[in-house]
Amino acid sequence: MPGPFEYFIWLSCTLLEIAVVVCALKKGAIRKYFLLNLYMAASVIVTGARFHVLTSRGFTSPEYVYLYYYSDALLTIFLYLALSSLYAHVFSELKAERYVRFGTLVLLAGTALFSYGVVHESTTKLISRFVVELSQNLYFVGLVLTYVLWAAILKLRETRTQLIQIVLSLGVYFSLFAADYALRNLYPSISSLFISLLQVFGCFLPLAWAYTFWRIPEDARIVPSRLAVVPR
Amino acid sequence: MMAGVIFVFSAAALLQFFISYCRSLIAASSKQVLSAEVKDVTGIQRIASGDDFKRVMQLLQLCPERPEDRNGVQAIGAYFSLLSFLRSTLARVVPSMRAWTESERGQCAYFAAVALERRISFSRDMLAQQMDA
């Protein structure tokens, strides 16, 4: 059963997710970053559903466990699609939206196939194992894609500060999750510690996006090469 | 083995993204010119040094917090700690890194001074509102 600290993090995270959508609405960025905001809104709805099942059925009930992992996979797919919309923003001048959409779907199908390949020999709970595996693999694929997107931003000299901050914060988020999942596989005996850390990491993305929508004007510009760790 | 490779790649990417993200936060404030008052209080005239950071942060904590500043200040605080760690470890071996960490630490101090300026004007606005009421 979650303790007061877990509930506090959970509530903070949900409030931050609501703040992202509210900030985007107030600053007129909801349409421009529609999939990002849709992900945040979906996350709030999922939190509500999880809380309802947690209080009515209990933390260890199969309903809660199923809802948790299945909704997590669904949210990861949403976030993956949100990332592909950032690709469309960066490559908008090249008129490459159609290719981005096609590439996104191919990669998603490839990740699903790979995940199935990993779990297909399991005799029990095949679908549940698949869902968990897909979710973990998508975090790593998301990290690689964000890294490629950051390289494209540097190469194409993209200057929109809002977009750059959204991509960088997404990179931090995916790296935190991918590293956490890797550590969980490396040290299964202390996996509960890494699960608790995931909750805290989860607050980073809404925090960073709310800040970006609220504080960074849409027309703000920045020189991306100045942000690179290795000077260009 | 695979998990180990993923961890190393993720940690390296995390470091890169985190540094770039903090720099993007700093870049927004680096164009802002400090008022004479804040220059006097912080002792920063034109270019800030890393040694100014702690002092400016102490001054920052004396002012009422602005909710919209909190996240940025915390992220830059973490970035400053990372830079200080690099300066006292890796930069001892790689001399060029020393200059880089020092310049970055200075920019963190400048970011904190800009945040201080905003908090001072925020406090003044609050006081003016109370006086009016």
Side-chain angles (χ1 to χ4, degrees):
Chain A
M1 200 69 184
F5 177 72
E6 281 85 5
Y7 276 121
F8 172 72
I9 296 287
W10 204 6
L11 180 68
S12 312
C13 209
T14 311
L15 290 176
L16 285 166
E17 283 160 357
I18 296 168
V20 171
V21 182
V22 172
C23 289
L25 259 174
K26 278 209 149 195
K27 299 286 173 174
I30 201 108
R31 272 185 65 189
K32 193 173 177 190
Y33 296 108
F34 179 72
L35 282 177
L36 270 64
N37 286 291
L38 190 67
Y39 164 73
M40 285 294 163
S43 194
V44 173
I45 293 166
V46 163
T47 300
R50 281 179 187 172
F51 185 75
H52 173 72
V53 175
L54 175 73
T55 48
S56 59
R57 305 284 168 142
F59 185 62
T60 49
S61 67
E63 288 90 344
Y64 181 73
V65 174
Y66 276 110
L67 176 71
Y68 182 88
Y69 285 107
Y70 279 70
S71 60
D72 191 51
L74 201 67
L75 284 177
T76 316
I77 293 171
F78 262 74
L79 188 58
Y80 174 81
L81 295 176
L83 171 62
S84 77
S85 76
L86 294 176
Y87 264 86
H89 275 291
V90 173
F91 293 110
S92 58
E93 282 180 17
L94 301 175
K95 306 265 178 252
E97 278 101 337
R98 201 148 46 104
Y99 300 106
V100 169
R101 223 173 295 148
F102 179 69
T104 304
L105 290 177
V106 168
L107 205 56
L108 183 60
T111 311
L113 270 175
F114 176 79
S115 306
Y116 178 74
V118 173
V119 298
H120 82 282
E121 283 179 0
S122 305
T123 46
T124 54
K125 296 181 178 170
L126 180 66
I127 297 176
S128 301
R129 281 176 202 274
F130 167 74
V131 164
V132 174
E133 187 67 31
L134 176 69
S135 198
Q136 288 192 15
N137 290 337
L138 273 181
Y139 275 112
F140 186 67
V141 171
L143 169 61
V144 175
L145 285 179
T146 314
Y147 202 83
V148 173
L149 184 59
W150 175 231
I153 284 174
L154 291 172
K155 189 81 186 161
L156 298 171
R157 294 187 173 86
E158 170 61 63
T159 56
R160 283 171 285 182
T161 311
Q162 256 190 3
L163 183 62
I164 288 173
Q165 284 207 349
I166 286 171
V167 171
L168 287 173
S169 49
L170 195 58
V172 172
Y173 179 80
F174 274 133
S175 336
L176 284 170
F177 270 69
D180 191 285
Y181 277 128
L183 283 172
R184 265 164 75 178
N185 287 323
L186 281 171
Y187 305 104
S189 56
I190 48 168
S191 66
S192 58
L193 170 73
F194 298 121
I195 292 170
S196 313
L197 277 175
L198 273 187
Q199 268 199 314
V200 181
F201 295 159
C203 292
F204 174 77
L205 197 64
L207 196 71
W209 284 1
Y211 176 88
T212 302
F213 287 134
W214 189 249
R215 285 300 306 271
I216 309 293
E218 202 188 332
D219 56 354
R221 293 289 184 267
I222 202 168
V223 182
S225 58
R226 283 184 59 195
L227 309 177
V229 177
V230 181
R232 280 158 193 261
Chain B
M1 173 67 185
M2 195 62 192
V5 172
I6 289 176
F7 175 70
V8 171
F9 179 79
S10 310
L14 174 63
L15 199 65
Q16 278 210 22
F17 281 126
F18 181 67
I19 291 176
S20 298
Y21 180 68
C22 289
R23 280 177 152 188
S24 75
L25 292 178
I26 289 171
S29 70
S30 64
K31 289 171 195 157
Q32 195 170 326
V33 181
L34 295 177
S35 66
E37 190 184 24
V38 172
K39 280 182 184 170
D40 278 350
V41 173
T42 58
I44 297 169
Q45 289 310 315
R46 219 166 55 86
I47 299 165
S49 112
D51 299 332
D52 296 326
F53 187 78
K54 271 194 178 159
R55 194 159 28 87
V56 180
M57 286 299 277
Q58 280 169 353
L59 290 169
L60 205 57
Q61 277 152 14
L62 292 174
C63 295
E65 210 171 42
R66 293 172 74 225
E68 57 266 52
D69 259 0
R70 197 185 307 149
N71 315 328
V73 171
Q74 279 174 352
I76 298 303
Y79 182 47
F80 184 82
S81 307
L82 174 74
L83 289 167
S84 302
F85 174 73
L86 288 176
R87 187 168 170 260
S88 55
T89 52
L90 221 62
R92 284 175 192 267
V93 192
V94 190
S96 63
M97 200 160 184
R98 193 173 174 80
W100 178 77
T101 49
E102 195 40 48
S103 130
E104 289 293 307
R105 277 163 40 100
Q107 296 212 38
C108 290
Y110 197 85
F111 175 89
V114 170
L116 178 67
E117 172 122 32
R118 286 190 189 134
R119 282 195 188 178
I120 289 172
S121 63
F122 174 67
S123 309
R124 283 211 178 114
D125 288 348
M126 275 206 323
L127 191 68
Q129 277 174 8
Q130 279 179 355
M131 299 277 269
D132 288 344

